Amino acid sequence: MILQAVFLFLIPVSLALEQESSYPLLTLLEKCQSKNYQLQERLSEVQSQLYEVNLNSQKKDLELQSLKAQIAQQAALITQLKDQISDLKQTCELGKLKDLFSEELAKLREVVKSGSGTEANKAEKNTTITYTTQSKSTQVDGCPSTQDEIYVYPEIHLPGLEPFQVTCYSFNEIGSGWMEVYYKNNTSTELNQTYDQYINGFGDIFGEHFIGLEKLHTLTSQKPHEVRLNVYGGIYYEVICENFVVGGRSEGYSLKQIDGCRGDTSHFNLIQGTKFSTFDRDQDGSPDHNWARELGYGFWFGSEKLILGRNQFLDLFIRRKD
């Protein structure tokens, strides 16, 4: 009994001593576990940051490659623009020369017009007409296909119409045979005419004039013609169309055929079927405008305003193709 009592007494004491001796180890273990947890969290943070750095690095590489490609494209574009600027300079210089030539030609017209009543001028004019008529040996119905002078003044004979005089031009770059049918200067005062006057024609071939819609219809409907339009005076535009036919009175003297055009076509509303308009015969198709009245001259106006204004020159030529 005594031994049993001693044994029972010693067991709690032993357990107490064991717990007391292992307590520092447990505390140390807990600290280590806590530290390990903190290190693992820190490791996760570092790994996450490293992943973001790698991802950003890849993005930067892609951005760098994209920027290099953009720089290469811009360099190619700069080279292209330099070439275009060089071409544009040459074109502008040519346009200025053409503009200057056209303005000087317009001044010459005014000089000739102011002296057209003199005997010397009449003699020169008659001599030129005689030369052209003799070269044809018969009555002519168009401009000569070849001519030595820059311009000659034949008398044209068409069936059912009174004879009329025209100016025939020869241009170095596009040849001879161009009949001037419409001329407007930059201070136009004589072109705001009625529809009937445009049908018959009016003006002086040495100044502002229009050949007449009926004559133009007869000329272009009997034989194939091409047309050339020039606008100048601060700007220079040129259009040449291979086929040009003006309809008759019942068709409103419309552009019955106009195609094969080249040049500055975007500046002219040359649309097949467009009727001729004057201030008293508005056929431009625009419900809000009478372009002939607003601009002061007759033309084949479309519904949109023509680029040609009051302060530009206009020359319209036709040439027979046979």
Side-chain angles (χ1 to χ4, degrees):
M1 289 294 291
I2 295 173
L3 290 173
Q4 186 177 5
V6 171
F7 180 75
L8 292 173
F9 173 76
L10 291 175
I11 289 175
V13 173
S14 176
L15 290 173
L17 290 172
E18 184 179 352
Q19 289 178 353
E20 184 176 351
S21 62
S22 63
Y23 180 76
L25 294 175
L26 291 173
T27 302
L28 181 61
L29 178 61
E30 289 176 354
K31 289 182 179 180
C32 288
Q33 289 176 339
S34 176
K35 189 67 175 178
N36 182 57
Y37 177 75
Q38 293 176 1
L39 290 174
Q40 287 180 345
E41 285 188 338
R42 180 59 181 161
L43 177 61
S44 296
E45 290 177 2
V46 171
Q47 288 176 337
S48 177
Q49 292 174 358
L50 181 60
Y51 175 77
E52 290 180 1
V53 169
N54 290 334
L55 185 61
N56 289 334
S57 177
Q58 293 176 359
K59 289 182 178 179
K60 293 297 182 182
D61 288 340
L62 292 175
E63 290 177 1
L64 181 60
Q65 293 176 5
S66 176
L67 287 173
K68 287 181 178 179
Q70 291 178 20
I71 290 171
Q73 291 177 354
Q74 292 298 323
L77 181 59
I78 289 171
T79 302
Q80 183 180 358
L81 289 174
K82 285 181 178 179
D83 293 339
Q84 291 178 357
I85 289 171
S86 178
D87 294 340
L88 184 59
K89 285 181 178 179
Q90 295 178 4
T91 303
C92 288
E93 290 300 323
L94 179 60
K96 289 179 181 178
L97 290 174
K98 287 184 176 180
D99 201 4
L100 180 61
F101 171 77
S102 299
E103 290 180 0
E104 291 299 322
L105 182 60
K107 292 178 182 178
L108 180 60
R109 286 175 180 274
E110 297 302 322
V111 172
V112 173
K113 180 181 178 182
S114 63
S116 61
T118 65
E119 292 300 322
N121 185 265
K122 288 180 180 178
E124 179 183 356
K125 186 174 177 181
N126 290 333
T127 301
T128 307
I129 295 171
T130 301
Y131 162 81
T132 306
T133 304
Q134 288 177 350
S135 66
K136 288 287 185 178
S137 72
T138 58
Q139 292 181 341
V140 296
D141 58 358
C143 288
S145 58
T146 59
Q147 62 189 63
D148 296 329
E149 297 86 352
I150 296 177
Y151 32 78
V152 294
Y153 311 96
E155 187 174 78
I156 305 299
H157 295 258
L158 296 175
L161 296 174
E162 292 293 325
F164 57 95
Q165 192 175 11
V166 298
T167 304
C168 296
Y169 282 78
S170 176
F171 300 96
N172 290 333
E173 65 273 20
I174 56 175
S176 303
W178 291 97
M179 180 188 297
E180 185 179 58
V181 298
Y182 196 174
Y183 173 70
K184 170 191 174 301
N185 68 30
N186 64 336
T187 56
S188 177
T189 58
E190 301 178 16
L191 297 179
N192 196 25
Q193 305 288 342
T194 65
Y195 191 68
D196 287 340
Q197 287 171 313
Y198 268 96
I199 290 175
N200 297 321
F202 57 86
D204 185 341
I205 63 171
F206 295 106
E208 286 192 305
H209 66 278
F210 182 67
I211 191 173
L213 290 167
E214 191 61 35
K215 299 183 187 76
L216 201 52
H217 162 65
T218 303
L219 284 165
T220 59
S221 60
Q222 288 185 350
K223 295 182 179 179
H225 279 74
E226 56 186 327
V227 64
R228 173 180 179 175
L229 294 93
N230 294 103
V231 171
Y232 49 94
I235 56 176
Y236 185 85
Y237 301 127
E238 179 180 270
V239 171
I240 298 178
C241 299
E242 294 180 2
N243 299 297
F244 179 69
V245 179
V246 174
R249 181 189 290 266
S250 63
E251 299 167 298
Y253 296 104
S254 64
L255 296 175
K256 192 170 184 177
Q257 182 181 10
I258 184 163
D259 54 44
C261 300
R262 63 185 186 275
D264 303 304
T265 55
S266 61
H267 298 288
F268 297 89
N269 299 325
L270 300 176
I271 302 173
Q272 191 162 295
T274 301
K275 296 180 179 180
F276 196 90
S277 289
T278 58
F279 74 90
D280 64 335
R281 183 69 65 89
D282 182 12
Q283 303 185 108
D284 58 26
S286 173
D288 302 320
H289 296 277
N290 180 334
W291 292 121
R293 184 186 299 277
E294 293 179 28
L295 295 176
Y297 60 93
F299 198 74
W300 292 275
F301 293 106
S303 58
E304 296 182 3
K305 182 180 179 181
L306 191 69
I307 190 67
L308 174 65
R310 289 180 177 269
N311 300 322
Q312 277 83 44
F313 295 85
L314 168 67
D315 250 334
L316 193 153
F317 306 88
I318 61 172
R319 180 168 67 175
R320 201 167 63 196
K321 296 170 62 177
D322 59 353

